[in-house]
Amino acid sequence: MSQAIETPRIQRRRQWDDPMTERDIQAVMEENHALREEIRVARQAAKITADLVVKQFEETEKILHRFQMANAMRKAVLDSASQISIVATNKSGIIIVFNTGAENILGYRAKDVIGHATPELFLSPPELTAHGETLSHQCGRIISGIDVFFSYAEQRDGKQREWTYVRKDGSCFPVRMSINALRDAEGAISGFLLIANDISEQKRSEKALTESERNYRLLLKNLPNVVFKGYANGDIDFIDDKILTLTGYGKEEFLSGKKKWMDIVAPEDLEYVKKIFIQALKTNKSYIREYRIRSKSGEIFWIEEGGQIICDETGRIDFVIGAFLNITVRKLAEKALFESEEKYRSLFNAGPNPIVVLDKQNFEILDANPCAVATFAHEKKDLIGKVFIDFGTFEYDDRQPVRIDMDGWPADGMVIQRLHDPKTDHQRYIKIKVSPTIYKGREATILAGTDITEVIEKDAQLIQASKMTTLGEMSAGIAHELNQPLNAIRLGNEYLKTMINRKIPIPDQDLFHVVGEVNEQVERASDIINRLRAFGRKTDDTKQAVDINEPVRGVLKMIGEQLKLESIKMVLELMEEPPIILAQHNRLEQVLFNLITNARDAINKKKQSEPQSAPHTITITTFFRNGRVGVAVSDTGSGIPKEIRAKIFEPFFTTKEVGKGMGLGLSIIYGIIRDYGGDIELYSEEGKGSTFTYSFPCAKMN
C-alpha cells in the first residue's frame, strides 16, 4: 500500500497533535494572516463588483430614460408641427412616419398610409414625371417614381423646392418641401424625410401684393393728379413728370429751386392760398384749395390742390405732401352750367306747356312752371311738396293703363294723364314726356306735358260721326228689326179688338198667350232701341274689362236681320270663355259694325258682277293665340285689289262712288284698335274674298 500524500494542512494538524515548537506556531500565525488578507481582498472585490453592477444598472436606467425622453420629444416635435407635413420612409420608400400636420393638410390618417404607401400618393403625377426628367438629364440615367426622392436626398443640399401636393379629396395646393436623407450607423441611406409646409396663403398674398403694386404703379401713371412733396416756403423736392404737361415747366426747374410753386400762382389768389394753409395748420393739418396758376405759355389754369401738412415731434412743419389736379374743364363746365340753368329757368317759366319737376323716389313735386300751375288749377304753393301721382290717372300713349307708384316711372317715359277740370267739369288729357335730371343735388324727373284734350275730343267727334253714318247706312235693316215686333204687337191687338167687337169670349189660354207675346215683342223692340241708343251714344275712352264675344253678339242683334234680307249667311265660330281684354265695349261694336258692313258691300259688289256666285257668307271667328285675344271677319266678296291694300287704312281713301262713303271707316277702325294696344291685319284674294283679323293683349287682372 502506497504511502498517502500529506497536504500541508494534514501535516499542520498532525503537527498540532504533536508537541508544537515555537517555530511551528509562528508558521501557523503567518498562514492565518495570509488567509485573512485573502478574505479581505475577496470581500473588497465582491463589494467593488457589486458597486460596478449597481452603477451599470443605473447607467442602463439613465440610457433607457434618455431614450424614452428622446422618443417623447421626437413625437412631441412631430405632433406640434400641426401645419407642417413631416413624412419619413424606409429604404424601400414605404412611409414609416406621418405626423399630425401631414394628416391635417393632406386629409389622410396616419394608420391608413404608414406601412402601406409611398409619398407618390400625395404628388401630381405630371409634376413627379417632370422632376424625374430633369434629374435624368442631370445624372445621365433614367430616374422616375420613388427614385426621384432618393436622388434629391443624395444631393445633400437641403434645398427647399416648390411642389404641388394633392389632398385625399383630389384638391391641389402648393407647398415648399425639403428632401433629406435618413442614414444608418454605417452612413448608408435608409430612407428619406419630406418636410413640407402649405404656401397657398403665401402665394395668394404674393399675388395680391404683386397685383397691388402693379395697380399702384398704374394708378400713379394714369391719374391726372400731379403728386408732390414740398415745404412751407414753396420748395419742392419731389414732383412727378406730369408737371410739365400741367405747367409747361419741367420738374428739374422745381427740384433745383429755380422755380417755386408760389411763383406761378395767380397774384389775385395768393392771399386765399395762404389763408387756407393757415386754417389747416389750426385744424387737422389737411386742406383742399382751388386757385389759378399761370403756365409757362401764359395760359391760366384752375388747380385743385389737396395736401397734408406733416409736423415733427416739436410741432414744427416738417414737410407737405399732396397732389395738384387740373380742374379748368370742370370750372368752365360749372360756368356753362350756371349759364345753362339761367337759360333753363327762363324757358321753364316762359314755356307754353306745363312742366313739372318731381323727386325720382317719391314723386314729390319740387317745381312747377306757370303753365303747369294753370293746367292743374292749383296755386304753386299748393303744388310744391304734393305727390304728383295723386293728380289724375295715367295711361300709356297707346291707352294701356299704367300704374305709377313708388316702384318707378314707366321705362318708356310717355304717358297720358287724365285730369278732371273743375272749371268745366270735363276731362282734360295731358300727354307727358319723361326725362331724368338732377335738381338741386337730388335725382329728379322732368315731366313736359302737352294738352291734347282738343285732339282727343276731335277724334271722339270723328268716331261719333262715323258711327252715326254707319247707323244711317243700316237704317233699312234697323227698321225691319223694329217692324217685326211692331207687327206682332199689331196682330195681337187686332185679334183682341176683333174678339171684343164680336163679343166673343176670349179663352184665358188665348188671352194669356196674346198678352205674353205682346210683352215679349215690346221688350224686343225696347232692347233694339236701347242697343241703338247705346251704340249711337257718345262714349268716353275709359277702358273696361271686355269679353271679346259680347260685342260680336251685340252687333248681330242689330244687323242680323238685314243681312238675312240680303241673302247673306252669318257663321259664328266663337271660342268659349275667352280671356278678358281692356277696351271699350261700344267702340269694339263700332269696329265690328264697320267691318261687317264692308263685308256686306264686297259681297253685294260680287253679286252684281257675278250674279250666279255663291255662297254669300260672312264668318266671324274669335280666338286666343300667343297671349293675344282676337277676332277674324271673313267674307266671300269681291276681294281687295293688291295695288290698294297698303292704302285702305289711310284717312279719306275709298273705292266707293261719290256720296257713298268718306273713306274714314277703316281709318277709324285702325285708330280704335291701336288705342287699345291692338293690331289689325288684312288677307285678301281678288274674286274670292277678304279676312280682317284684329287682336289685343290679354288684360292683367289683379
Side-chain angles (χ1 to χ4, degrees), residues 8-19:
R9 183 172 295 225
I10 292 175
Q11 291 175 352
R12 286 194 299 270
R13 185 176 298 169
R14 185 178 54 81
Q15 290 172 355
W16 183 262
D17 292 335
D18 295 334

Side-chain angles (χ1 to χ4, degrees), residues 479-480 482-494 521:
H480 179 77
L482 287 173
N483 278 335
Q484 282 189 323
L486 292 175
N487 284 334
I489 294 170
R490 181 176 59 80
L491 289 174
N493 285 338
E494 285 181 354
Q521 296 303 321

Side-chain angles (χ1 to χ4, degrees), residues 517-550:
E517 184 67 23
V518 168
N519 282 339
E520 184 179 333
Q521 296 303 321
V522 168
E523 288 180 2
R524 180 181 173 187
S526 177
D527 183 58
I528 292 171
I529 292 170
N530 286 336
R531 285 186 176 279
L532 290 174
R533 183 183 293 123
F535 183 76
R537 184 176 65 240
K538 183 178 179 181
T539 59
D540 62 24
D541 58 352
T542 303
K543 286 178 280 295
Q544 55 195 218
V546 177
D547 179 335
I548 199 72
N549 289 337
E550 292 306 313

